[in-house]
Amino acid sequence: TLREAPAEPWFMSVGFFETHRQFAAPTSVRDTLYSQPPANLPDTLATRRDMAEFKASARSLDQGIGAVLHALHDFGLVENTVVICTTDHGIAFPDAKATLFDGGIGVMMIVRGPGFSAGKVVDAPVSHLDVYPTLCDLAGAEYPEWLQGSSLMPLVSGEVSSLHDAIFAETTYHAAYQPHRAIRTERWKYIRRFDEYPHPVLANCDDSDSKALLVAAGWGDQEVPEEQLYDLVLDPQEGSNLAGDASKAAVLAELRERLETWMRETDDPLLDGPV
């Protein structure tokens, strides 16, 4: 434990459950009535309460993270400890967690410690693959041959303004089979479905009042196209699929080719059929 003055080098992983379903009860009537739900959901009493429950859970998470940071302070470990606070997926709401929309692949990541200045915000797209080479840089370790990511340190220092011109993402299973692959650039998102089921895989969305509202409205009967293309500047909620728009054919072809190249380079098992 931290109280025992861990030998160096040391590593600790602390996982929190608070923002997983089921969420905590709302902490106030005000939050229950007025919390704005995620922008892709209708603004109703049910979705407001759902968001209020998420906020209550996030407050509890904040307390837990604070306890860890306080322990580092108490035992004199702040100055030589890198702290990375991140999540493994987006929030547990429809069209977020377990999807390749930005609500699903966009995660929190906050870093503090030696080499990081306080209060700096970097908007460049990065990936969890970039965490390992960052730690190699900070520890003075050599990069292994199998390394895929890029160190965040040139971004942090301002040496470069961007690390990647595209980020790739995938889902295969969560609660159920959902073989999707995606490429995201600053402007565009391309998602490809690789199975024969042309509807939302409802089992992969955690049960909630927000989900129940959408299911009752026919969400499960909607069609999920084999290819989806979104303009993330003009359509940040990814609601207007441009894959069939002739004026975007060149963009579609380029992203399709880049995704297929990435799948070949990473020996994606979907290339050989269903997983």
Side-chain angles (χ1 to χ4, degrees):
T1 66
L2 295 180
R3 294 180 184 275
E4 296 168 349
E8 296 184 0
W10 65 281
F11 168 81
M12 184 173 70
S13 176
V14 183
F16 293 92
F17 68 89
E18 279 85 350
T19 52
H20 283 74
R21 302 275 183 180
Q22 294 292 330
F23 295 149
T27 54
S28 71
V29 174
R30 177 197 62 200
D31 271 358
T32 302
L33 295 177
Y34 298 110
S35 290
Q36 185 175 21
N40 65 300
L41 295 178
D43 187 0
T44 68
L45 183 59
T47 56
R48 279 180 239 133
R49 180 183 178 89
D50 206 6
M51 191 61 185
E53 292 175 354
F54 173 77
K55 289 166 63 177
S57 300
R59 291 189 186 99
S60 177
L61 170 64
D62 189 62
Q63 293 294 316
I65 294 173
V68 175
L69 299 181
H70 195 263
L72 293 176
H73 178 270
D74 279 353
F75 303 116
L77 298 170
V78 171
E79 297 303 320
N80 63 347
T81 301
V82 175
V83 179
I84 302 174
C85 180
T86 189
T87 56
D88 53 345
H89 49 66
I91 60 176
F93 282 82
D95 285 343
K97 175 184 174 181
T99 78
L100 300 185
F101 296 123
D102 274 7
I105 65 174
V107 300
M108 170 180 69
M109 188 159 75
I110 307 172
V111 186
R112 86 170 199 188
F116 293 86
S117 57
K120 184 179 180 66
V121 176
V122 178
D123 289 322
V126 298
S127 162
H128 276 149
L129 288 173
D130 301 324
V131 172
Y132 189 91
T134 302
L135 296 178
C136 287
D137 275 359
L138 292 169
E142 294 184 3
Y143 293 165
E145 292 182 1
W146 42 259
L147 194 66
Q148 294 183 38
S150 300
S151 172
L152 300 173
M153 299 316 296
L155 273 179
V156 173
S157 67
E159 179 182 342
V160 300
S161 60
S162 179
L163 286 181
H164 309 290
D165 63 352
I167 295 290
F168 297 90
E170 63 181 58
T171 62
T172 302
Y173 282 96
H174 180 51
Y177 190 47
Q178 185 176 316
H180 292 181
R181 301 291 186 263
I183 176 174
R184 187 200 192 282
T185 67
E186 184 175 356
R187 179 73 185 265
W188 303 99
K189 165 78 67 62
Y190 169 71
I191 304 174
R192 181 173 171 186
R193 171 174 60 80
F194 284 87
D195 67 341
E196 301 300 320
Y197 186 69
H199 303 290
V201 182
L202 297 182
N204 285 338
C205 179
D206 294 345
D207 289 341
S208 66
D209 289 344
S210 295
K211 175 183 176 180
L213 186 152
L214 297 187
V215 171
W219 182 34
D221 298 325
Q222 288 192 317
E223 297 243 343
V224 176
E226 182 178 351
E227 293 185 301
Q228 300 172 66
L229 176 67
Y230 299 107
D231 184 334
L232 300 176
V233 174
L234 298 180
D235 178 29
Q237 294 304 318
E238 299 170 90
S240 179
N241 182 13
L242 301 175
D245 187 330
S247 69
K248 304 299 185 297
V251 175
L252 179 67
E254 177 191 353
L255 295 182
R256 182 192 293 135
E257 180 180 0
R258 293 186 67 180
L259 182 65
E260 291 174 354
T261 297
W262 171 74
M263 292 177 68
R264 288 193 298 270
E265 290 175 347
T266 57
D267 196 20
D268 194 316
L270 281 180
L271 296 173
D272 299 321
V275 176

